Amino acid sequence: MAFSAHKDAEQVREFESDETTLEKQASQLAQWIRESKHFVAFTGAGISTSAGIPDFRGPQGVWTLRAKGEYPKGGTSTLSAVPTKGHMALVEMEKAGLLKFLISQNCDGLHRRSGFPPEKLAELHGNSNLDRCIKCGKEYLRDFHTRNHSNHVHEHRTVRKCPACDDWLHDTIINFSESLPEKPLRNGFLNSRQSDLHLVIGSSLTVSPACRMPQETSTSGGKLVIINLQKTPLDPLADLRIFAKVDTFIEKVMKHLKLQIPEWTLRRWVQISMKDENTLQIAGLEPDGTPASILSQVELLNTGEKLQKEPFEFHLKSPEKKFKLRFYFMGNYNEPSIDFEVNFENGKNESRLRFELKLSKNNWDVFVEK
């Protein structure tokens, strides 16, 4: 909110170190990452600015402008934003076994969309694409924003119900003065205390209790590294203080680690199953089994029948085993539809597919996972 904007020009001011200094710092950080036993990263809005999403307290930040009675101009929707080099570098460091846990203050959903394992991720302030059932705890990932904007700021009930228990679903966004979710909060502090190296990326470190997590690492004897263009309250504790744009500096670190930053790939998982001999069911999901709303329409080409909302269930007039299906996605990345044939004559009654799309190619690759 505007009241949380930086109060003076010195707080808003951005700094950037010279190339020689940044190269030396990148080499040092890479060495510490290689030597670390429990490396933790902590991200703020600064990791997403190169994706076109404005930050909050920078010179053109959302809260900075609102404090002046102005509003940000343009920007990219978080639904169509592409994970940045910073996001993808963290994915690669986790795959390489270097990064053990990721804490984020961001609710733009880009870490989860980047492919970072959700079980190693604490989204402290929620995820704008995630619904949660308060009653049974079930979560549902969406390719749309879950927030009901007609609600009061502290009212989180959506217009959807939980298929598992029929209770109302709630968005997961954390607004000012609201308590952080227990599990991410607990895991964030636990990993911060265990960490021997804590890397802060693009955060002003002014929002509590999140900002206390990097401090926990420093207090416990671990190294604290901060990458941010503006000064932060934790700068005096930093073992390495880096003034640089996130993507530019992370590229240097990855070169010293001899790791490639992967191109982002949009991945979608679809489960096709025979609910009974006359019911064909299609559902989106995440690798960990979290239900995911990723399809706008599904067409059964055998009959020409098209379903335009979940649940996608085709009620067959007679038992069938071979199906031709057309999948239509949400279109946030202008992704094309795709046709696929499934055959259950081998005795199986379900099939899980993984669709992969590189935006540079704009055509799907399909993998049958089971």
Side-chain angles (χ1 to χ4, degrees), residues 343-357:
N343 187 342
F344 290 135
E345 290 180 333
N346 57 7
K348 292 184 177 181
N349 61 4
E350 68 175 28
S351 180
R352 180 178 293 190
L353 310 176
R354 184 176 81 252
F355 298 96
E356 295 192 352
L357 176 71

Side-chain angles (χ1 to χ4, degrees), residues 267-271 283-287 294 352-354 369:
R267 292 183 175 88
R268 294 290 179 253
W269 286 263
V270 173
Q271 181 101 350
L285 73 164
E286 286 288 283
I294 57 172
R352 180 178 293 190
L353 310 176
R354 184 176 81 252
E369 292 196 339

Side-chain angles (χ1 to χ4, degrees), residues 50 73 77 85 93 140 205 231 249 272 281 284 327 351:
S50 62
K73 297 172 183 175
S77 166
K85 291 178 180 178
M93 283 191 271
Y140 302 86
L205 295 172
K231 294 177 181 178
F249 187 76
I272 305 169
Q281 185 178 64
F327 300 106
S351 180

Side-chain angles (χ1 to χ4, degrees), residues 69-262:
E70 302 174 18
Y71 288 86
K73 297 172 183 175
T76 303
S77 166
T78 58
L79 292 174
S80 56
V82 174
T84 67
K85 291 178 180 178
H87 289 98
M88 299 312 299
L90 295 176
V91 170
E92 190 63 19
M93 283 191 271
E94 189 281 327
K95 284 183 179 177
L98 298 171
L99 181 59
K100 299 301 191 291
F101 199 76
L102 173 59
I103 303 164
S104 184
Q105 297 172 288
N106 299 340
C107 57
D108 55 29
L110 288 184
H111 280 306
R112 195 148 176 172
R113 208 175 309 159
S114 72
F116 200 91
E119 68 274 12
K120 295 183 179 180
L121 170 66
E123 293 177 305
L124 300 178
H125 297 159
N127 183 321
S128 60
N129 307 122
L130 192 68
D131 274 339
R132 179 178 293 119
C133 179
I134 303 300
K135 183 178 179 181
C136 73
K138 192 85 171 172
E139 293 184 338
Y140 302 86
L141 200 62
R142 317 290 191 185
D143 261 7
F144 53 81
H145 290 146
T146 61
R147 177 79 177 159
N148 181 359
H149 288 286
S150 64
N151 284 349
H152 180 272
V153 65
H154 295 304
E155 171 58 53
H156 293 278
R157 198 177 83 174
T158 71
V159 297
R160 294 169 294 281
K161 284 198 167 184
C162 177
C165 72
D166 201 41
D167 202 21
W168 288 105
L169 294 172
H170 292 68
D171 72 64
T172 57
I173 300 298
I174 303 299
N175 294 312
F176 280 99
S177 80
E178 294 178 341
S179 299
L180 270 60
E182 182 181 346
K183 184 178 178 181
L185 186 65
R186 182 177 65 249
N187 287 342
F189 274 113
L190 175 64
N191 279 276
S192 295
R193 293 185 189 108
Q194 292 176 340
S195 176
D196 56 1
L197 176 63
H198 203 130
L199 174 62
V200 174
I201 303 173
S203 175
S204 63
L205 295 172
T206 56
V207 178
S208 183
C211 65
R212 300 207 314 266
M213 294 180 184
Q215 188 173 357
E216 286 282 343
T217 298
S218 180
T219 303
S220 301
K223 292 184 177 70
L224 175 60
V225 179
I226 301 174
I227 307 172
N228 200 54
L229 290 169
Q230 296 171 323
K231 294 177 181 178
T232 83
L234 296 191
D235 285 2
L237 298 179
D239 296 274
L240 193 61
R241 185 57 176 92
I242 299 151
F243 292 96
K245 291 184 173 67
V246 172
D247 285 357
T248 303
F249 187 76
I250 289 295
E251 282 187 283
K252 296 179 185 296
V253 174
M254 294 294 279
K255 285 179 182 177
H256 284 286
L257 290 172
K258 296 182 170 52
L259 293 176
Q260 294 288 324
I261 299 178

Side-chain angles (χ1 to χ4, degrees), residues 43-61:
T43 65
I47 197 172
S48 298
T49 53
S50 62
I53 301 171
D55 61 21
F56 293 99
R57 296 172 184 84
Q60 296 300 310

